Amino acid sequence: MFSNYLIGLREGLEASLVVCILIAYLVKTGRREALKPIWTGIAIAVALALGFGFALEFGSQELTFQAQEALGGSLSILAVGLVTWMVFWMRRTARHLKSELHGRLDAALAMGTGALVATAFLAVGREGLETALFVWASVHAASDGTPRPLIGVALGIATAVLLGWLFYRGALRINLAKFFTWTGGMLVVVAAGVLAYGVHDLQEAGWVPGLTNLAFDISGTIPPDSWYGTLLKGVLNFQPDPTVVQLTVWLLYLVPVLTLFLLPSRTPVRTAGTAASPVK
């Protein structure tokens, strides 16, 4: 549940910050008449993300078992690729996200209502589609037959919306660069588990060999249905009996990606006050 909460929080906060930056800029520059097309673009983006999530969930139920596993594995790998790109992109651009969005909004204001709708839709829609795909893949990987993964995602998104509102009201100030670094690192660990589970799906679909070749089996020590086994599964997507291919892929992804992500950034670091207030 924690890993899904983290996904909802991290992905939701990015979208919330984008919305706050766009709205705060229009309000502070006295262009409130442009708020309606901005909200229209945001609503369309949210509807598209929700529709995409429903299509993934209910569309896959009509497939055969092998097709479901192949689809789930392929989308899990795609989701890991997208979230890996996203955490590195946010680590690099978090400090100047506000100025980038302001530039796009100024250009859209000069072009008219349609451009404003498109700007808001593109700014939020990309985050929404990435979130829907990664949430689906993570819930698919961590699902234990209970609604807890979805509850975790919902709580994470709700927390992100609250934090976004507090940022907008000026009631909360944190160093966003550090926040995205810490949560990005944890998200890389989660992504490694999703990737390993995706590979297992492909093995069950017959696309990748080695399904019966286990690296180890500690199910007797850490039963999957025990409270600590469930906790490890929910937090790290831990599997007590991974295949050799799963374990190899997990290590080949986690070690180099996490090392590269945690290397010191070459971008000059601003003061904590500057980094903490993206909507001012």
Side-chain angles (χ1 to χ4, degrees):
M1 183 170 174
F2 174 76
S3 63
N4 294 287
Y5 175 83
L6 174 64
I7 294 168
L9 174 63
R10 168 63 188 248
E11 301 291 303
L13 186 57
E14 287 187 28
S16 294
L17 288 177
V18 169
V19 172
C20 288
I21 291 170
L22 293 175
I23 293 175
Y25 183 63
L26 291 174
V27 171
K28 290 179 182 295
T29 56
R31 300 171 179 177
R32 291 179 177 270
E33 71 281 357
L35 288 176
K36 185 175 180 179
I38 290 295
W39 281 115
T40 299
I42 291 170
I44 295 173
V46 171
L48 178 63
L50 290 174
F52 182 54
F54 278 112
L56 287 174
E57 176 62 23
F58 296 106
S60 63
Q61 294 179 4
E62 302 299 323
L63 303 175
T64 64
F65 173 77
Q66 287 77 11
Q68 286 183 10
E69 297 303 297
L71 177 64
S74 300
L75 291 179
S76 294
I77 293 172
L78 176 60
V80 169
L82 287 174
V83 80
T84 303
W85 172 84
M86 178 272 297
V87 295
F88 278 96
W89 177 82
M90 182 54 74
R91 178 175 179 266
R92 185 177 67 253
T93 62
R95 296 183 180 90
H96 54 84
L97 179 62
K98 180 171 69 172
S99 59
E100 179 181 328
L101 287 173
H102 285 179
R104 293 182 184 178
L105 196 52
D106 282 334
L109 284 166
M111 296 175 66
T113 301
L116 286 172
V117 173
T119 297
F121 171 76
L122 292 174
V124 179
R126 187 200 64 181
E127 302 290 345
L129 291 176
E130 287 179 357
T131 302
L133 178 57
F134 195 61
V135 164
W136 181 84
S138 179
V139 170
H140 180 69
S143 180
D144 54 3
T146 72
R148 283 181 295 184
L150 289 177
I151 293 174
V153 172
L155 289 175
I157 293 175
T159 303
V161 172
L162 175 62
L163 290 176
W165 181 79
L166 291 174
F167 277 126
Y168 178 77
R169 302 299 299 177
L172 183 64
R173 297 172 66 86
I174 62 173
N175 189 310
L176 289 177
K178 289 184 178 180
F179 174 84
F180 282 120
T181 296
W182 281 103
T183 57
M186 290 188 286
L187 206 55
V188 168
V189 177
V190 173
V194 172
L195 178 62
Y197 194 89
V199 169
H200 186 265
D201 278 352
L202 294 181
Q203 288 183 304
E204 290 192 322
W207 286 22
V208 176
L211 179 61
T212 60
N213 187 15
L214 301 183
F216 55 81
D217 187 351
I218 55 174
S219 301
T221 305
I222 307 179
D225 56 351
S226 64
W227 70 265
Y228 46 92
T230 302
L231 179 65
L232 289 172
K233 174 73 171 179
V235 175
L236 301 175
N237 285 317
F238 173 78
Q239 183 176 335
D241 55 346
T243 66
V244 172
V245 175
Q246 274 186 280
L247 182 61
T248 301
V249 168
W250 184 82
L251 289 171
L252 289 177
Y253 171 85
L254 180 64
V255 175
V257 172
L258 192 59
T259 300
L260 288 173
F261 182 78
L262 295 178
L263 285 176
S265 174
R266 296 181 181 180
T267 305
V269 179
R270 299 180 182 180
T271 62
T274 302
S277 184
V279 298
K280 293 287 185 182

